[in-house]
Amino acid sequence: MIQRHWDVQNTFEHYGRGDFGMLGWDALRDSGTLPLFQFRELDAMELHNQLLDSLPRELFALASDQPVTMDAVRHALANRTAARFSDLDQVILQLFREKEFEILNPEGNVRSRALTRLRSTDRIALPSISLLPGLSRL
């Protein structure tokens, strides 16, 4: 359904952010004016930046006990954001290149940092050297 919203762009819109705060308003974080998310190119760029800030916490929570498959990540997060699977994948790959998380193949081996496409069977794992989520971009 989210893909359909992006396909028709301005026909659908909602008040609020596009990231994981999409379904609620945080008065401490948002200004007095509620933002309008319209599924346009500018919104996609802003969503990418919002996901870079919020996705590390979400992935840490999902993978804290054991590695979690991409399929499970996508389905756990998809209904909580305006992001498409491809948006989530793009940000996860960026976080992987920044060494905030590991991406493992089904056999448990770390994938190459040159990875450009995720498979549903790839698994997200915490890095062997623990960093605070989002620290690598500071």
Side-chain angles (χ1 to χ4, degrees):
M1 184 63 177
I2 281 294
Q3 183 62 51
R4 185 69 181 136
H5 287 297
W6 284 100
D7 290 344
V8 297
Q9 294 183 349
N10 200 26
T11 304
F12 296 104
E13 55 190 31
H14 77 87
Y15 288 95
R17 300 166 52 96
D19 67 352
F20 299 104
M22 167 177 103
L23 298 176
W25 179 16
D26 184 350
L28 298 174
R29 198 165 96 186
D30 294 323
S31 65
T33 306
L34 198 57
L36 179 63
F37 191 88
Q38 297 180 318
F39 299 93
R40 292 185 175 173
E41 183 70 25
L42 183 60
D43 295 308
M45 292 184 313
E46 185 174 332
L47 174 63
H48 181 86
N49 292 331
Q50 290 171 353
L51 287 173
L52 280 174
D53 289 336
S54 60
L55 191 55
R57 287 185 300 276
E58 299 291 332
L59 291 175
F60 184 84
L62 289 171
S64 62
D65 291 333
Q66 62 184 7
V68 61
T69 65
M70 275 305 303
D71 191 47
V73 167
R74 291 171 180 147
H75 288 92
L77 302 178
N79 288 331
R80 298 181 43 221
T81 175
R84 300 163 283 198
F85 285 177
S86 60
D87 298 321
L88 292 172
D89 289 1
Q90 182 182 19
V91 174
I92 288 170
L93 285 169
Q94 182 173 344
L95 294 170
F96 172 57
R97 286 188 293 273
E98 293 173 356
K99 300 181 181 179
E100 289 205 32
F101 293 93
E102 299 292 345
I103 297 178
L104 311 174
N105 64 19
E107 292 77 35
N109 300 318
V110 177
R111 304 277 316 263
S112 165
R113 297 270 179 219
L115 182 65
T116 59
R117 187 166 177 249
L118 295 169
R119 298 182 196 132
S120 63
T121 55
D122 285 335
R123 294 182 295 152
I124 305 290
L126 298 181
S128 54
I129 299 174
S130 297
L131 298 174
L132 294 175
L135 187 62
S136 67
R137 284 185 308 287
L138 296 178

